[in-house]
Amino acid sequence: MRIAVFGANGPTGRHLTGQALAAGHEVVAVTRRPGSLPARPGLTVTVADATDPAAVDTAISGTDAVLSALGARFSKETITTYSASATAITGAMTRHGVERLLAVSSSIADPHWRPTGAHFFNHVLDPLVNRRLGRTLHEDMRRMEAVIRATSLDWTLVRPSGLFEHPAATDYRTAENSADGVFTARVDLAASMLRELEEQRYVRTAMGVITTAVRPNIAKLIWNEGVKKN
């Protein structure tokens, strides 16, 4: 299968690209930074801004599916990366007859998501980090989801919880809408997307993904994913 990966140079996109190539797929890695991805058999690097309809149209031409792992940093300002890219991507897919789309969103997009037994997270971290510091980011994720849901594509909204790095895929769990857990390893997020691409269990719905076998250090996670990036 020939797959377009948006955000291919990002933390999750690199896992997606590597795992897809290892599985025998051809990958069109879409990035804004030329030369950021080393040459590999089966890999085509396309330089494009995911919010530019013309550039996205060129990147998607000739592909069988699209996986979006685009991300943005927390900001007090209005964020439009997710919704603008979703508009460009879904428009191009419709024009080219590409039907399968998987797009990374967040468990925060599910208004009913509250991990079981996670008192500190539910009452301290979530209100402070996600609902306050990440408010504009998650608002745009919801706009992205609305754009995608309004299409006739075979879409899946992929909702991880708190993202962290881990060297190898684990026995992760998936569930419709959101999964009951606080953390998701990026390597598991990528693996779940590629498995869903094959199995199609969550077409035209959301798929929650969580990692249960390992847990990150909370202080390190907040520093790496929040403070250090901003």
Side-chain angles (χ1 to χ4, degrees), residues 42 65 98 138 148 153 184:
V98 182
H138 293 116
I148 293 172
L153 301 174
T184 307

Side-chain angles (χ1 to χ4, degrees), residues 50-90:
T51 64
D52 179 347
V56 170
D57 195 89
T58 300
I60 285 177
S61 178
T63 61
D64 303 303
V66 175
L67 277 57
S68 175
L70 292 165
R73 297 179 179 182
F74 284 0
S75 173
K76 294 180 181 179
E77 306 300 323
T78 299
I79 292 173
T80 60
T81 301
Y82 298 99
S83 55
S85 62
T87 299
I89 289 169
T90 56

Side-chain angles (χ1 to χ4, degrees), residues 15 18 21 24 28 39 52 60 66 76 82 84 139 147 158 166 171 182 188 194 223 225 229:
H15 285 295
L21 290 171
V28 178
D52 179 347
I60 285 177
V66 175
K76 294 180 181 179
Y82 298 99
E139 285 175 346
V147 168
V158 186
H166 189 66
D171 188 19
V182 179
D188 287 342
L194 291 171
W223 172 258
E225 303 300 328
K229 287 186 175 182

